[in-house]
Amino acid sequence: MENGEIKNIEATANPVQKEKGAGNLAAQYLVDNQVETLITGKLGNVSFRLLKKDGIKIYKSSPGTVEKNIKLFQQGKLKEITSIQGGFK
């Protein structure tokens, strides 16, 4: 975001979804691709720590579409996840 406006949105398929440890590999993929913000409905402990270590902000998605969640994010209505215990779903 820049001046309250989203400058870049990129949706991509998870390239490691069928791999062992896919969540952690996906988190590393986001880090490697310099993602700044993640809106997600599920996240494990290791992935959370990896993303936070690299400064990625994580928000809990709301039920509904991607478009709905982007609007909620822009309105400041999604909860930022700053700590995690046992993952979340």
Side-chain angles (χ1 to χ4, degrees):
M1 283 187 77
E2 199 172 289
N3 298 320
E5 199 175 306
I6 295 176
K7 291 294 184 183
N8 184 25
I9 297 173
E10 184 177 329
T12 183
N14 182 348
V16 294
Q17 69 185 2
K18 295 182 191 245
E19 303 290 325
K20 183 174 179 172
N24 301 338
L25 293 172
Q28 187 60 55
Y29 175 82
L30 297 176
V31 169
D32 292 346
N33 284 277
Q34 302 173 336
V35 168
E36 296 176 13
T37 304
L38 172 66
I39 300 172
T40 184
K42 295 181 184 179
L43 194 64
N45 288 326
V46 175
S47 298
F48 173 82
R49 288 194 305 272
L50 177 65
L51 295 168
K52 292 307 280 183
K53 176 180 74 72
D54 280 275
I56 296 174
K57 292 188 178 226
I58 303 164
Y59 293 86
K60 175 81 168 115
S61 65
S62 175
T65 64
V66 170
E67 290 83 6
K68 175 185 173 187
N69 276 278
I70 290 171
K71 275 190 179 169
L72 291 171
F73 174 76
Q74 288 175 308
Q75 296 167 353
K77 293 183 178 176
L78 292 182
K79 179 183 178 196
E80 184 176 358
I81 307 301
T82 56
S83 65
I84 194 169
Q85 228 175 357
F88 72 83
K89 293 181 181 184

